[in-house]
Amino acid sequence: MPDLETQDAPASDSPLVPRARDGDRAACRELYRRHSNGIFTLACRMTGDRAEAEDLTQEVFIHAFRGLCGFRGESSFSTWLYRIAINHCRSRLRRRRPGELVPLDRADVGTEPQRAADLRLLLERAVGELPEGYREVFVLHDVQGMGHGEIAEILGCSAGTVRSQLWKARGRLREMIGPHLKGEGYEVPGLGQEAAEPAG
Amino acid sequence: MKCRDWDKRLPSLLDEPAGSPERLGLEAHLRQCDACRGSWELLGRLRAEAPRLGGLEPGERVWQGIEAAWAHPVPARAPVVRWWRPPALSVGWAAAAVLVAVLAAAWILQPRRPAPDGEPVRMAAVTRPQGGTTPAKAPAHRRSAVPARAAARPAPATGREYVADHLTPSDDAPAPDDGTRYLMPAVAAGGAGNDQQYIMPAVYIADREPF
């Protein structure tokens, strides 16, 4: 299992931000190149729709570049940008009517052979069905590889809350996906099993 | 620890380092329990698969849209003039509001005198007999039975000026023996016809001028 939190730290955005604030398009383009995949992935996993995620990504960057004057540097540019993205996603999801979620397996996101993509498709669908709060934390931590502290800063909550949400999200995913993989030996222990099972 | 307890902890133990005591305890349990081992392996697979959900790339049209927005900057918004603007909440305003609230609460919650029991008190003038018992000699337990409201009642208009010396006569301020007129509640003065019996007057008014 890869350790996501020990990946190489990306180059700092600090030199680019003042240039982008002064209207340097090359600096803006570089900031976009560094963060667009992450923002788009977040938007895609939150909305479940690729076209909508592209619109959201565009809105987020336009909003960020226009609002750079208001960026005081109290957090990193990346944290600030993700906070904008989360707010846009939440706003978009609020405007949706209930039941309007487009599952990813029906969108045009993956066209890989079925056998190899089975678990991924199941996971994509299950992530799309997670409650919004669990989904945000799961995507930011397990998919994007962010740390608990950074996620807490983005979401405006404590690191303990992030951990708790993450564990619940994983537990919920296991409950949703486990029954589909019963033939492969993955079983979630039921409540009635403990009497017959050894205590650790 | 039972399977149910391990099951609840499995999602959190994914983040524990491999050699930690919690992970060692879990591994000992997993050697004996197939169900928990299956659940743990599923969580591990999901954890390993999750990063593959990332790395999606937006189409080129996203950047084109951003550049197009750059070419057409949003005009600055004119300041909105409101016909009413709420006053800025300063420390002074807050302190004044607190002071007003405290004064209002003190006024509302101030203790009130109880209303008199029974019928309304009527004042009656009783002439004190010469050489009789003075009101100061009345038993103390009867003094206390006088309604307080009666003490505040003004003297009846008789064309004379009455001066209240004491609300309750006492031994320290004995009542004069001659021509003194006492006002007392008619209700309290149960034996109105018996001039030998003195009931505690509510108001002891000395007429400075003799009758």
Side-chain angles (χ1 to χ4, degrees):
Chain A
M1 192 182 315
D3 189 356
L4 293 169
E5 296 192 18
T6 56
Q7 288 174 346
D8 291 339
S12 171
D13 297 323
S14 305
L16 293 171
V17 171
R19 287 171 48 200
R21 189 184 293 144
D22 294 339
D24 183 345
R25 288 200 187 185
C28 290
R29 175 82 204 200
E30 177 60 19
L31 287 173
Y32 173 80
R33 191 192 61 76
R34 288 184 184 183
H35 300 289
S36 59
N37 286 7
I39 298 293
F40 177 67
T41 298
L42 174 67
C44 216
R45 297 302 166 203
M46 290 302 294
T47 62
D49 182 40
R50 188 181 180 93
E52 195 171 7
E54 284 190 340
D55 288 347
L56 262 174
T57 306
Q58 189 172 300
E59 280 175 24
V60 168
F61 277 97
I62 291 172
H63 186 103
F65 291 146
R66 281 188 179 148
L68 264 180
C69 299
F71 174 59
R72 294 189 295 274
E74 290 166 358
S75 59
S76 70
F77 175 77
S78 155
T79 301
W80 182 72
L81 189 64
Y82 272 91
R83 206 178 298 153
I84 294 172
I86 283 286
N87 287 337
H88 274 259
C89 288
R90 287 176 179 173
S91 168
R92 181 70 66 112
L93 291 174
R94 262 200 306 274
R95 286 204 298 269
R96 270 186 178 173
R97 290 191 300 275
E100 207 183 335
L101 187 73
V102 181
L104 274 178
D105 56 343
R106 279 199 275 124
D108 55 348
V109 175
T111 55
E112 299 181 14
Q114 196 61 35
R115 178 67 186 160
D118 261 357
L119 184 59
R120 188 189 302 183
L121 285 174
L122 282 172
L123 186 57
E124 280 178 357
R125 195 184 307 160
V127 168
E129 289 172 11
L130 279 177
E132 197 179 315
Y134 293 177
R135 208 180 329 154
E136 289 170 355
V137 173
F138 181 82
V139 170
L140 290 173
H141 188 276
D142 279 5
V143 177
Q144 308 267 52
M146 289 183 181
H148 298 123
E150 189 177 4
I151 298 171
E153 214 176 330
I154 290 170
L155 299 179
C157 60
S158 68
T161 305
V162 170
R163 280 191 204 97
S164 164
Q165 298 271 80
L166 177 64
W167 299 339
K168 287 175 184 169
R170 288 174 178 164
R172 188 71 71 87
L173 288 173
R174 182 188 53 173
E175 286 169 12
M176 287 193 276
I177 294 175
H180 295 280
L181 302 176
K182 256 189 176 172
E184 298 184 33
Y186 300 124
E187 288 176 17
V188 179
L191 299 181
Q193 294 176 324
E194 62 184 328
E197 287 166 354
Chain B
M1 205 185 291
K2 303 272 184 196
C3 267
R4 180 162 48 179
D5 303 322
W6 280 115
D7 186 55
K8 283 181 187 166
R9 295 199 59 201
L10 287 181
S12 66
L13 291 172
L14 277 178
D15 294 330
E16 287 288 330
S20 67
E22 290 85 1
R23 282 288 287 267
L24 292 176
L26 171 67
E27 284 162 16
H29 174 72
L30 294 182
R31 280 193 286 272
Q32 309 168 44
C33 179
D34 290 341
C36 286
R37 189 165 57 247
S39 183
W40 174 251
E41 286 174 4
L42 172 59
L43 278 169
R45 272 189 73 184
L46 295 179
R47 179 79 165 88
E49 195 64 33
R52 298 199 183 114
L53 297 185
L56 303 177
E57 285 186 33
E60 189 59 27
R61 76 171 185 95
V62 175
W63 177 251
Q64 290 165 359
I66 294 169
E67 285 198 312
W70 233 317
H72 304 285
V74 177
R77 289 182 190 169
V80 179
V81 180
R82 293 182 184 169
W83 64 272
W84 178 81
R85 183 184 294 263
L89 182 64
S90 63
V91 175
W93 279 108
V98 169
L99 184 62
V100 167
V102 168
L103 289 176
W107 184 79
I108 290 169
L109 299 176
Q110 64 181 336
R112 309 273 185 204
R113 291 182 175 181
D117 297 331
E119 297 178 21
V121 176
R122 287 171 288 142
M123 304 300 290
V126 177
T127 303
R128 178 185 171 278
Q130 293 292 325
T133 310
T134 65
K137 304 299 182 187
H141 73 276
R142 302 195 75 161
R143 293 181 202 171
S144 61
V146 176
R149 180 75 53 95
R153 189 164 295 214
T158 59
R160 292 173 183 272
E161 181 180 355
Y162 288 88
V163 178
D165 282 347
H166 308 282
L167 288 179
T168 54
S170 66
D171 292 337
D172 297 336
D177 278 334
D178 51 345
T180 305
R181 202 176 186 210
Y182 300 96
L183 291 177
M184 64 183 66
V187 171
N194 181 7
D195 59 356
Q196 294 299 319
Q197 184 178 1
Y198 264 81
I199 309 300
M200 176 59 206
V203 182
Y204 163 48
I205 295 176
D207 185 1
R208 289 303 184 193
E209 297 175 18
F211 276 85

